């Protein structure tokens, strides 16, 4: 009797009790994610139910060992584990503090292993299960930055991208979206399929392109599917169509399908624009999904998730759509290797998202958007921090004005410095070199240096790795000569805080309406002389709005 009781306790502990989850969004410690093993593929099977907050999962994770290691660490938290096998044989493991340490002593470097983990429970984060904005049950993943670990075991860091396939058993009336291509039409789930036993269908999606774990998502709910058409100039190597064109569609709650149209209307135009400007679209399709992401939009590869509330309220979120579509190239395809280089994702998506409007709505609209983002930078609370800021411990704090508008402004200034032809040549080269891979700021800088033949170290040092921006003060002194002629001495001071650098930039110094001379600003105080017949009415710098700077005496 006593023994039976102990066995009962053991079973109830190992099958039911879920460990307490770790906190979301904590920055990894240095070298937490080593190259000692690489994840090649995640094969994820998830069972969902119509009223259930519980999930059942089986993850088959293919890895390659690069070194002999005693344990393979995977991120996983808040769910209970039923079994772990390596290559179909059971293995020892330790599951604590958000990690599974899987015994790997009997394996050797260069071996390929399949780790199979069966698990279940109610996810504490990452997979958001509950009522949608209209009160209907829905399930949507929301992984950024490192919340995939709350619903599937993973090496949950952007440095290790992998392919992923999903087998999702979901209530019959639901539709299920995920990354990649639908590999077969949904069919009635097998009776022994994992998860609740109810009327369900099984959906299979697969991404043959490696993507970061923060991009690996599923969305399951009752949804309308609206096909917008085909982006003919996507040139996607992963497209199921021989001409590389991709299908673009919207998945929305039926209550909001009509309201969402203005926001998504120009999606095809956007895909075509970015593919022409940057390089081939990387994925199999593009779907805009109304979902329960906590963000305004989340750029999940080939299945972008947008805030359900914004769409239900009928807001036009076209600027967000352009930003998220631009992310398919930057962030998803060229992924920041370390979180601290997030501007390679967010700054790029912000700038390219805005470039779409320069092309479609004209230069004035574009400059207005850039001016707005300039003000966001001036008013932000991170002006004393560099864009790449290694001191941030809470990854959500990286979603700041440095990584978004200031990152975009860095690209804008680089474009101003190099000119359109060289700038876009550099961008296409950078994309063709790093697509489906990862990159750091240095990789981008070196590519732009190669293409331009210029040393850009000072540029990246001051704008990316140092805080602030120039705050300019003009002083003018008119020295009259005979017969109304004279000259103007202009003093330009950089008056920003001492802990911000003295900035180096090239621009134009102008007076009256149209007279300009090229200037290079590289000192705290500089003097320039203008010969003019009359005393100029106005003196100004940067007439074409290429430089991120503020004025002391506005
Ligand atoms: Zn973004």
């Amino acid at each position: 009797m006593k023994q039976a009781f102990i066995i009962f306790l053991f079973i109830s502990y190992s099958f039911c009790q879920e460990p307490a989850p770790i906190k979301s969004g904590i920055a990894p410690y240095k070298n937490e994610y080593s190259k000692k093993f690489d994840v090649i593929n995640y094969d994820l099977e998830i069972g969902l139910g119509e009223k259930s907050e519980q999930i059942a999962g089986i993850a088959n994770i293919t890895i390659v060992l690069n070194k002999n290691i005693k344990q393979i660490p995977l991120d996983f938290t808040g769910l209970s584990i039923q079994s772990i096998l390596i290559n179909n044989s059971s293995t020892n493991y330790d599951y604590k503090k958000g990690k599974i340490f899987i015994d790997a002593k009997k394996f050797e470097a260069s071996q390929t292993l399949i780790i199979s983990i069966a698990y279940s429970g109610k996810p504490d984060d990452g997979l958001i299960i509950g009522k949608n904005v209209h009160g209907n049950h829905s399930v949507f993943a929301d992984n950024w930055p490192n919340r995939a670990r709350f619903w599937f075991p993973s090496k949950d860091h952007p440095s290790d991208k992998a392919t992923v396939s999903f087998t999702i058993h979901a209530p019959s009336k639901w539709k299920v979206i995920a990354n990649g291509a639908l590999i077969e039409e949904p069919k009635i789930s097998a009776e022994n399929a994992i998860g609740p036993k109810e009327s369900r269908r099984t959906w299979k999606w697969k991404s043959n392109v490696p993507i970061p774990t923060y991009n690996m998502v599923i969305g399951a709910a009752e949804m309308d599917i609206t096909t917008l058409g085909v982006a003919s100039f996507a040139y996607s190597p992963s497209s199921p169509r021989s001409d590389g064109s991709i299908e673009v569609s919207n998945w929305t709650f039926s209550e909001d399908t009509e309201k969402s149209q203005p926001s998504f209307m120009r999606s095809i135009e956007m895909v075509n624009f970015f593919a022409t400007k940057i390089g081939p679209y990387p994925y199999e399709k593009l779907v805009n999904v109304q979902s329960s992401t906590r963000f305004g939009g989340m750029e999940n590869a080939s299945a972008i998730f947008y805030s359900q509330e914004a769409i239900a309220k009928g807001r036009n979120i076209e600027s967000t759509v352009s930003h998220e579509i631009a992310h398919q190239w930057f962030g998803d395809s060229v992924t920041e290797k370390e979180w601290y280089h997030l501007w390679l994702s967010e700054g790029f998506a912000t700038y390219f998202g805005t470039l779409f409007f320069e092309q479609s709505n004209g230069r004035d609209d574009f400059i207005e958007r850039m001016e707005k983002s300039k003000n966001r930078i001036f008013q932000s609370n991170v002006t004393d921090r560099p864009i790449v800021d290694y001191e941030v411990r809470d990854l959500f704090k990286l979603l700041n004005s440095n990584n978004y508008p200031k990152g975009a402004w860095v690209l804008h200034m680089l474009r101003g410095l190099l000119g359109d032809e060289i700038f876009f040549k550099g961008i296409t080269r950078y994309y063709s070199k790093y697509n489906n891979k990862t990159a750091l700021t240095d990789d981008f800088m070196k590519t732009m240096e190669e293409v331009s033949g210029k040393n850009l170290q000072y540029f990246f040092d001051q704008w990316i790795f140092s805080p602030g921006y120039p705050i300019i003060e003009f002083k003018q002194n008119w020295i009259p000569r005979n017969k109304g002629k004279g000259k103007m001495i202009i003093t330009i001071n950089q008056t920003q805080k001492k802990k911000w650098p003295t900035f180096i930039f090239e621009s134009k110094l102008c007076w009256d309406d149209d007279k300009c001379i090229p200037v290079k600003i590289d000192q705290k105080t500089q003097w320039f002389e203008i010969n003019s017949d009359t005393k100029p009415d106005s003196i100004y710098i940067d007439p074409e709005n290429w430089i991120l700077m503020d004025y002391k005496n506005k």
Side-chain angles (χ1 to χ4, degrees):
M1 186 72 186
K2 198 178 174 189
Q3 204 170 15
F5 180 66
I6 289 167
I7 289 168
F8 170 75
L9 262 182
F10 173 71
I11 291 171
S12 65
Y13 176 75
S14 60
F15 286 87
C16 304
Q17 190 173 335
E18 295 166 32
I22 58 162
K23 202 167 166 271
S24 304
I26 301 168
Y29 55 83
K30 202 163 189 263
N31 300 326
E32 182 172 336
Y33 295 94
S34 74
K35 292 286 288 173
K36 286 175 184 163
F37 73 100
D38 273 334
V39 179
I40 306 301
N41 181 62
Y42 294 92
D43 182 0
L44 305 174
E45 181 177 354
I46 309 274
L48 305 170
E50 196 181 338
K51 296 202 168 68
S52 179
E53 292 189 319
Q54 306 274 319
I55 63 165
I58 299 171
N60 289 303
I61 306 168
T62 309
I63 70 158
V64 171
L65 292 180
N66 297 325
K67 289 231 167 91
N68 290 346
I69 47 175
K70 287 182 187 156
Q71 291 177 319
I72 299 161
L74 291 175
D75 297 296
F76 195 52
T77 188
L79 298 174
S80 59
I81 294 173
Q82 276 82 63
S83 66
I84 300 187
L85 308 175
I86 299 186
N87 294 350
N88 286 320
S89 302
S90 63
T91 184
N92 291 327
Y93 64 90
D94 200 5
Y95 179 29
K96 60 183 179 192
K97 293 179 185 163
K99 292 268 186 193
I100 318 171
F101 296 95
I102 303 166
D103 196 341
K105 283 194 278 291
K106 58 182 169 182
F107 303 103
E108 286 175 4
S110 85
Q111 269 190 285
T112 299
L113 311 177
I114 297 181
I115 303 172
S116 307
I117 303 173
Y119 59 96
S120 63
K122 180 186 171 206
D124 299 281
D125 200 350
L127 194 65
I128 314 303
I129 304 177
K131 292 206 181 324
N132 75 3
V133 71
H134 302 294
N136 301 318
H137 201 73
S138 69
V139 178
F140 287 101
D142 195 32
N143 296 351
W144 198 95
N146 51 9
R147 293 182 292 142
R149 64 189 64 183
F150 286 91
W151 65 284
F152 67 91
S154 48
K155 189 176 173 188
D156 199 6
H157 190 263
S159 61
D160 196 353
K161 297 167 81 170
T163 54
V164 59
S165 59
F166 296 97
T167 301
I168 309 296
H169 314 294
S172 295
K173 59 183 178 182
W174 290 10
K175 294 192 174 82
V176 177
I177 186 70
N179 315 98
L182 188 68
I183 54 174
E184 59 181 51
E185 285 306 309
K187 52 185 180 201
I188 296 166
S189 302
E191 265 183 39
N192 61 353
I194 56 170
K197 305 292 170 237
E198 55 185 68
S199 168
R200 295 188 301 169
R201 286 189 298 168
T202 298
W203 294 69
K204 293 187 176 187
W205 290 92
K206 182 166 178 35
S207 170
N208 286 312
V209 182
I211 56 176
T213 51
Y214 73 81
N215 262 198
M216 295 177 183
V217 292
I218 58 168
E222 279 186 76
M223 288 183 272
D224 277 354
I225 301 177
T226 312
T227 304
L228 281 175
V230 164
S232 305
F233 303 100
Y235 312 114
S236 171
S238 11
S239 166
R241 296 152 191 271
S242 57
D243 65 356
S245 63
I246 57 140
E247 192 175 285
V248 181
S249 59
N250 308 329
W251 291 40
T252 49
F253 305 137
S254 59
E255 295 89 340
D256 306 319
T257 297
E258 215 172 300
K259 284 180 236 176
S260 72
Q261 296 308 314
S263 297
F264 299 139
M265 204 166 58
R266 292 203 279 181
S267 303
I268 291 177
E269 216 183 298
M270 290 168 184
V271 171
N272 287 337
F273 170 73
F274 296 130
T276 310
K277 210 80 191 163
I278 305 164
Y281 179 77
Y283 305 116
E284 296 86 345
K285 51 112 182 21
L286 179 70
V287 177
N288 295 309
V289 186
Q290 184 179 14
S291 86
S292 40
T293 172
R294 67 163 76 174
F295 309 108
M298 179 56 218
E299 64 265 22
N300 308 310
S302 81
I304 301 171
F305 284 13
Y306 298 91
S307 151
Q308 52 177 339
E309 289 84 4
I311 293 173
K313 280 180 194 152
R315 275 178 48 201
N316 186 320
I317 56 163
E318 194 180 42
S319 299
T320 305
V321 174
S322 180
H323 173 102
E324 305 306 338
I325 293 180
H327 262 308
Q328 304 298 302
W329 284 260
F330 298 117
D332 298 2
S333 185
V334 182
T335 304
E336 61 287 359
K337 196 180 201 166
E338 289 179 13
W339 285 121
Y340 299 111
H341 295 249
L342 185 66
W343 83 279
L344 295 174
S345 174
E346 295 304 347
F348 274 64
T350 303
Y351 192 56
F352 278 82
T354 312
L355 285 180
F356 170 77
F357 295 102
E358 181 182 28
Q359 184 255 193
S360 64
N361 299 2
R363 182 82 184 175
D364 290 350
D365 180 280
F366 170 73
I367 290 296
E368 202 181 305
R369 288 168 192 263
M370 291 306 290
E371 276 295 314
K372 270 188 196 150
S373 70
K374 206 186 240 181
N375 289 326
R376 277 180 58 202
I377 299 164
F378 296 161
Q379 286 153 20
S380 92
N381 59 5
V382 288
T383 52
D384 285 339
R385 304 299 314 162
I387 290 182
V388 173
D389 183 357
Y390 292 106
E391 283 183 20
V392 174
R393 302 306 308 149
D394 174 357
L395 296 175
F396 289 108
K397 296 216 162 110
L398 292 173
L399 304 177
N400 59 29
S401 293
N402 279 342
N403 280 304
Y404 286 74
K406 193 175 174 192
W409 261 97
V410 170
L411 291 174
H412 186 61
M413 289 189 281
L414 194 56
R415 179 183 165 200
L417 178 67
L418 304 180
D420 271 20
E421 197 188 324
I422 291 171
F423 174 77
F424 287 109
K425 196 176 157 193
I427 291 291
T428 52
R429 182 160 322 165
Y430 171 66
Y431 181 71
S432 80
K433 204 166 165 186
Y434 294 100
N435 76 90
N436 297 335
K437 299 189 182 77
T438 58
L440 294 173
T441 303
D442 224 37
D443 298 316
F444 176 58
M445 183 187 84
K446 291 216 167 85
T447 308
M448 298 312 276
E449 286 187 331
E450 274 164 31
V451 171
S452 66
K454 285 193 174 171
N455 182 342
L456 298 170
Q457 189 70 54
Y458 79 95
F459 178 92
F460 284 86
D461 281 349
Q462 69 185 12
W463 291 117
I464 299 289
F465 296 100
S466 308
Y469 45 83
I471 301 178
I472 298 293
E473 178 191 42
F474 284 112
K475 281 183 187 152
Q476 26 191 297
N477 185 16
W478 172 250
I479 303 171
R481 277 191 234 135
N482 291 338
K483 296 175 188 167
K485 293 191 174 185
K487 63 179 179 182
M488 177 77 105
I489 308 288
I490 295 155
T491 311
I492 296 183
N493 287 316
Q494 295 196 39
T495 66
Q496 60 270 21
K497 298 178 190 178
K498 282 207 177 73
K499 58 181 164 184
W500 297 2
T502 298
F503 285 85
I504 302 170
F505 58 94
E506 291 171 28
S507 189
K508 285 178 184 165
L509 178 65
C510 307
W511 63 98
D512 292 342
D513 281 339
D514 54 354
K515 299 179 192 98
C516 298
I517 51 165
V519 289
K520 183 171 182 182
I521 309 293
D522 56 2
Q523 308 288 328
K524 207 159 171 42
T525 300
Q526 280 169 274
W527 294 269
F528 297 94
E529 197 178 297
I530 289 169
N531 288 313
S532 176
D533 289 350
T534 54
K535 186 182 176 184
D537 289 334
S538 62
I539 305 274
Y540 52 98
I541 194 168
D542 189 34
E544 285 150 354
N545 220 331
W546 285 111
I547 307 292
L548 173 63
M549 63 179 170
D550 204 356
Y551 296 93
K552 195 181 175 195
N553 40 354
K554 279 190 219 186

